[in-house]
Amino acid sequence: MAVAQAKQDALAARLAGLSLPQGGWSAPARAEAQARLASMGLPGKRDEYWRYTDPTTLTAAQPTPAALFDAGDETPLFDGIDRVRLVFVDGVFDPTQSDDPVAAGVEFLSAGADIHWAQGLYGVLEARGQSPVARPLAALNTAAATEGVLIHVTGRAARPINLIYLHKSESSDAILHHCVKLAPGAELTLLENGPAAARFNKVLEVEVADGARFHHIRAQGRDHERRAVTHIFARLGTGSLFKSFTLTANGVLTRNEAVLELTGDDAVAHVAGAAVGDGDFHHDDTVFVTHAAERCESRQVFKKVLKNGAVGVFQGKILVQPGAQKTDGYQISQSLLLDETSQFLAKPELEIYADDVKCSHGSTSGAIDETALYYLRSRGVPLRQAQSLLVLAFLAEAIGEIEDEAIAEDIRARLEAWLGRHGA
Amino acid sequence: MLEINNLHVKLEEDDKVILKGVNLTVEAGKVHAIMGPNGSGKSTLSYVLSGRDGYEVTDGSATLDGVELLEMEPEERAAAGLFLAFQYPVEIPGVGNMTFLRTAVNAQRKARGQEEMSAGEFLKVVREKAKALKIDAEMMKRPVNVGFSGGEKKRNEILQMAMLEPKMCILDETDSGLDVDAMKLVADGVNALRDAGRAFLVITHYQRLLDHIKPDVVHIMADGRIVKTGGPELALEVENNGYADILAEVL
């Protein structure tokens, strides 16, 4: 189908604002991505997949400026975790603030070689993820990313790798593309935190080989006006495990897509998110899980706390392909609406082509439980503390997807701090 | 200790008048029981005293040691020493029972200007009190009241009471849903807390709880008022003859 002229123009304007990388090992993948992009065009407001989230500011030629968030003297997230810190400032790696990437086995997208292991991964999972639903902003990322990490894990990584995204310029426009390849039996924890830029487009491609384990925990920055579109593309081998958790607090626009493909038997994929928004906040979780093998388990757990007109979106799908018997799929999306002006829009979907599967899904919106609030207060817990307890309780199932207790505790503390600032 | 004067209360929503002039004085060290037929206003009285939403006080007062309760927030009433053991304890998924108890204990200490209890000290005290109520460690780990049996919920209320050490304890039909053994356990828990500085208001339909928690004074409530007050023998009279005779006599 021909792309409408308006979309072509928008794409041309967007590309004109970028300096596309030339040459190197990733050149063929970038060229293919650009061709995909040309055939899709950038997403528009009328696209079904963007029905609940207006992509205009994500596709515009220039980013909308975003003021910086002042966290005061707050302890940085994950500070107590022994980890490898790699810092990006407005999307540009800053070696002076970072630990030694070489010692941690981390390479960069800008690696000059003509041949690289990441050729089998860069843009490959993204391209697979373009069907049945187009994800043009991910193709744009593959074509245009200038920075990102390439991590090939062959054993059990000694320490988590922490990508820290600082936002210093109010009009920055960052595009990062990371590739993580886990060899059979390997294990890695990847931590990400920070707002990154006024506008941030990030792709993470993860190949989880047989028996490998990947843990991903991220906290998106709290700059109120920042905008972000992120994609995770993961392919899971036999008996492998993938677990991803995202905390989103603030952000005028966030679209987090996760495209997970369970291609080996007995694989486990969990993707979870806790989002808290007050006022001008629009958060969209879009998830597509494909079961293409037997006895795999997938869980989607998404919880949102919304107040003062904040908007939450969930589009989640479980696709069970023919032959993917004994699939165990679970999907829950819930919102806690703290007032009547906030809204939650959910579109849960199941598409099943195997006859011996277990799939469940649920979606709810509700207010804070007044009876529970009264009960807590009757025991002497002050109103705001009681509300915080109930909000954290609501989010508990999502946070429970984080296996490492110290990391989970950090996330909880960050949430409590947010609740303290926002009076709920 | 607790002094209720001419208390008039209606439901906020449909203007229905529930309490029509309750007068009641509970002295320190005493156990008062309130009995009465369904719909007489017993539970409403307990909710109004603890500060639940949905009720409007149209007249009267309720003071605890001379301080007006009705103008306080529920958490302030708790910090002032009031405790209500709920007829239907509330389930709170996602909040661990232990976390809940510790938060409550420390919130009250903070409100009273006392130091918070350390984790170690708290654990020691809670274990000891839980043991007496046959509440095991597993129950403490579970979310508040979630998946608890009726008896477990009521024992959990008494544990909260024992930990918070209120001076004015209101028990709202704590015997409902309990078998004989569980009732004995709950009563033992309550009796262990009886002392000269603490008072109890026990709301019940039945005499049998009062066999275990011996009241000093028994009140009969009907149609939003205390209509008769007497000694423990009044509860026996109700048990034997029902409310009809008493009500016929006073109304």
Side-chain angles (χ1 to χ4, degrees):
Chain A
M1 195 175 69
V3 175
Q5 189 60 42
K7 279 199 167 190
Q8 284 185 33
D9 294 346
L11 177 57
R14 178 70 181 109
L15 289 173
L18 296 165
S19 56
L20 300 181
Q22 303 295 323
W25 59 267
S26 60
R30 292 173 188 281
E32 284 168 28
Q34 217 175 322
R36 279 196 293 281
L37 187 56
S39 70
M40 295 184 275
L42 288 171
K45 274 199 281 192
R46 295 202 184 145
D47 294 356
E48 180 61 26
Y49 215 47
W50 290 84
R51 189 177 181 141
Y52 307 114
T53 297
D54 181 353
T56 307
T57 53
L58 298 173
T59 60
Q62 296 302 324
T64 313
L68 310 178
F69 179 80
D70 180 9
D73 56 0
E74 187 180 85
T75 308
L77 199 65
F78 308 135
D79 210 43
I81 314 280
D82 181 20
R83 70 222 199 272
V84 179
R85 298 169 69 257
L86 301 173
V87 177
F88 291 79
V89 179
D90 291 307
V92 180
F93 179 64
D94 181 355
T96 64
Q97 296 193 59
S98 303
D99 294 330
D100 180 9
V102 180
V106 176
E107 297 171 83
F108 292 90
L109 187 53
S110 51
D114 287 335
I115 296 172
H116 198 278
W117 63 260
Q119 275 168 308
L121 185 52
Y122 187 83
V124 174
L125 298 188
E126 174 260 299
R128 287 176 68 98
Q130 296 293 353
S131 165
V133 189
R135 305 171 200 278
L137 289 167
L140 174 77
N141 181 298
T142 300
T146 48
E147 298 240 10
V149 295
L150 310 171
I151 308 172
H152 189 183
V153 191
T154 51
R156 191 171 190 283
R159 295 189 288 165
I161 290 176
N162 186 189
L163 305 177
I164 299 168
Y165 307 126
L166 304 181
H167 176 203
K168 299 285 187 193
S169 157
E170 293 196 353
S171 56
S172 53
D173 192 15
I175 303 181
L176 293 181
H177 192 124
H178 308 306
C179 292
V180 176
K181 186 179 169 80
L182 291 119
E187 182 164 3
L188 174 73
T189 298
L190 180 70
L191 308 172
E192 295 183 281
N193 62 291
R199 181 169 68 180
F200 187 32
N201 179 332
K202 192 198 68 186
V203 166
L204 169 64
E205 290 178 293
V206 190
E207 178 84 59
V208 192
D210 296 352
R213 300 167 73 85
F214 178 68
H215 301 273
H216 175 231
I217 299 97
R218 69 172 159 177
Q220 298 178 300
R222 290 168 292 170
D223 301 37
H224 287 278
E225 295 161 351
R226 61 139 190 88
R227 291 173 161 81
V229 55
T230 76
H231 291 81
I232 298 171
F233 297 95
R235 184 162 57 181
L236 281 80
T238 303
S240 67
L241 176 133
F242 171 99
K243 273 191 154 187
S244 174
F245 169 87
T246 301
L247 168 67
T248 309
N250 303 344
V252 70
L253 178 60
T254 308
R255 163 97 159 199
N256 291 333
E257 296 198 23
V259 184
L260 314 177
E261 206 184 342
L262 297 116
T263 57
D265 294 339
D266 303 298
V268 174
H270 291 194
V271 55
V276 291
D278 181 358
D280 200 1
F281 173 87
H282 183 107
H283 181 93
D284 177 333
D285 285 301
T286 291
V287 180
F288 200 112
V289 177
T290 303
H291 283 261
E294 293 190 14
R295 297 179 305 277
C296 291
E297 173 193 306
S298 72
R299 278 173 70 87
Q300 303 171 39
V301 181
F302 288 89
K303 305 263 184 161
K304 296 176 173 64
V305 178
L306 306 167
K307 64 185 289 196
N308 289 324
V311 178
V313 175
F314 175 79
Q315 304 189 100
K317 180 157 180 170
I318 304 174
L319 170 64
V320 181
Q321 290 188 341
Q325 302 297 6
K326 306 285 182 193
T327 284
D328 182 358
Y330 173 77
Q331 180 196 82
I332 184 88
S333 63
Q334 295 181 305
S335 72
L336 184 62
L337 304 174
L338 296 180
D339 53 47
E340 288 181 0
T341 61
S342 301
Q343 31 169 341
F344 178 53
L345 306 156
K347 187 179 162 195
E349 289 181 280
L350 298 178
E351 196 175 330
I352 301 173
Y353 297 101
D355 57 7
D356 185 13
V357 304
K358 189 170 86 179
C359 276
S360 61
H361 68 101
S363 184
T364 64
S365 290
I368 210 153
D369 182 346
E370 289 296 331
T371 311
L373 200 58
Y374 160 62
Y375 189 62
L376 285 166
R377 296 177 76 192
S378 79
R379 297 305 181 241
V381 183
L383 176 62
R384 279 185 59 166
Q385 197 182 353
Q387 283 171 332
S388 285
L389 258 181
L390 293 178
V391 168
L392 286 171
F394 168 76
L395 296 170
E397 187 185 359
I399 299 167
E401 289 293 329
I402 302 171
E403 276 188 17
D404 186 301
E405 194 40 46
I407 295 173
E409 199 43 57
D410 257 22
I411 294 289
R412 259 182 233 114
R414 180 52 62 94
L415 269 165
E416 278 172 29
W418 188 92
L419 292 167
R421 282 173 200 261
H422 293 266
Chain B
M1 175 170 288
L2 179 69
E3 182 100 39
I4 303 171
N5 277 312
N6 193 32
L7 185 62
H8 286 72
V9 171
K10 63 173 187 159
L11 288 181
E12 257 173 13
E13 262 183 16
D14 51 8
D15 260 3
K16 190 178 173 201
V17 179
I18 309 283
L19 301 184
K20 302 171 180 173
V22 174
N23 290 296
L24 179 67
T25 302
V26 182
E27 310 83 7
K30 300 289 184 196
V31 174
H32 284 228
I34 296 187
M35 304 181 76
N38 291 324
S40 57
K42 306 185 298 295
S43 286
T44 295
L45 178 63
S46 70
Y47 288 144
V48 168
L49 290 174
S50 73
R52 188 175 189 145
D53 275 350
Y55 301 99
E56 189 186 332
V57 175
T58 52
D59 199 5
S61 72
T63 58
L64 184 64
D65 282 341
V67 182
E68 180 59 68
L69 280 175
L70 301 177
E71 282 159 14
M72 291 186 197
E73 296 296 337
E75 56 268 33
E76 293 169 340
R77 301 180 196 204
L82 185 80
F83 180 92
L84 168 64
F86 282 52
Q87 182 181 1
Y88 304 108
V90 180
E91 297 184 6
I92 313 182
V95 178
N97 206 20
M98 191 72 100
T99 307
F100 164 65
L101 253 184
R102 188 156 173 235
T103 305
V105 167
N106 281 333
Q108 291 204 11
R109 292 176 79 101
K110 200 173 158 191
R112 294 187 201 123
Q114 297 164 324
E115 244 185 69
E116 290 196 356
M117 231 178 185
S118 74
E121 190 189 351
F122 174 80
L123 218 66
K124 191 170 154 253
V125 179
V126 83
R127 275 196 188 131
E128 185 188 312
K129 299 198 185 221
K131 198 176 163 197
L133 286 158
K134 298 210 167 105
I135 292 174
D136 60 22
E138 167 63 20
M139 236 173 101
M140 295 309 299
K141 277 189 213 151
R142 272 150 55 187
V144 180
N145 292 325
V146 177
F148 286 24
S149 70
E152 286 173 333
K153 284 181 179 172
K154 297 297 173 79
R155 276 185 276 148
N156 203 34
E157 292 291 289
I158 303 305
L159 175 65
Q160 290 166 34
M161 189 164 84
M163 288 302 297
L164 295 168
E165 300 183 323
K167 53 188 177 192
M168 181 68 231
C169 309
I170 304 171
L171 278 62
D172 186 10
E173 298 198 24
T174 295
D175 51 336
S176 69
L178 294 187
D179 59 36
V180 180
D181 294 336
M183 183 158 31
K184 179 99 180 21
L185 211 56
V186 163
D188 288 347
V190 172
N191 289 329
L193 286 169
R194 287 180 77 157
D195 74 35
R198 186 171 284 135
F200 291 85
L201 187 59
V202 180
I203 296 171
T204 181
H205 274 291
Y206 304 106
Q207 149 68 21
R208 51 175 200 174
L209 179 66
L210 304 179
D211 285 340
H212 301 288
I213 306 173
K214 300 255 186 285
D216 299 295
V217 183
V218 174
H219 308 274
I220 305 297
M221 194 162 178
D223 193 29
R225 284 185 205 92
I226 303 286
V227 294
K228 190 167 185 182
T229 296
E233 73 287 348
L234 191 53
L236 288 169
E237 195 184 323
V238 168
E239 186 75 4
N240 295 333
N241 307 326
Y243 292 111
D245 289 354
I246 296 170
L247 298 188
E249 174 191 325
V250 295
L251 292 178

